[in-house]
Amino acid sequence: MATIEDFDRLEIRVGKVVDAQPFPEARKPSIRLWIEFGPPLGVKRSSAQLTAHYKPDTLIGRQVLAVVNFPPRRIGPFESEVLTLGVPDEDGAVVLVRPDFKVPLGGRLF
């Protein structure tokens, strides 16, 4: 069982997608995201397997949740700095986790 201390170590924060580009070099269909978290984090990059439900241009301006304190991960030629969160639909395709209402950038999930 995880403890509340385990949960507290994760920094899950809200950011806004400021750019999104196709990622044809990825092994699995993916989109490269640039997400603004506000000060002090600024813009961080993420690779996400979102192509079943999202086109890059529909993601710009959308608020998303991401784990911001995992180490960076190299995915092909791209360094993913945060883990953008999603849940699977009935077919296993990713659906983004996001706030119902606009909230301040950098807000921490609790």
Side-chain angles (χ1 to χ4, degrees):
M1 300 292 290
T3 66
I4 192 67
E5 290 79 16
D6 294 328
F7 179 76
D8 286 342
R9 281 196 293 273
L10 289 177
E11 277 195 52
I12 301 171
R13 296 197 179 264
V14 66
K16 179 175 76 172
V17 177
V18 294
D19 194 9
Q21 301 292 326
F23 190 10
E25 302 91 353
R27 276 185 270 169
K28 295 182 181 177
S30 300
I31 298 174
R32 290 178 291 204
L33 304 173
W34 286 262
I35 305 168
E36 171 64 58
F37 291 96
L41 293 173
V43 176
K44 299 289 182 184
R45 295 172 302 208
S46 182
S47 172
Q49 296 173 18
L50 304 174
T51 58
H53 292 296
Y54 306 96
K55 301 270 186 254
D57 62 329
T58 66
L59 293 167
I60 296 172
R62 183 182 300 248
Q63 288 192 317
V64 295
L65 291 170
V67 178
V68 300
N69 66 332
F70 283 156
R73 186 172 172 208
R74 178 136 319 263
I75 300 172
F78 188 74
E79 185 172 73
S80 187
E81 300 172 294
V82 299
L83 175 65
T84 305
L85 299 177
V87 294
D89 68 8
E90 299 89 20
D91 298 320
V94 177
V95 175
L96 286 169
V97 175
R98 64 182 186 153
D100 283 341
F101 303 100
K102 187 176 178 183
V103 297
L105 297 181
R108 188 170 180 174
L109 179 76
F110 56 86

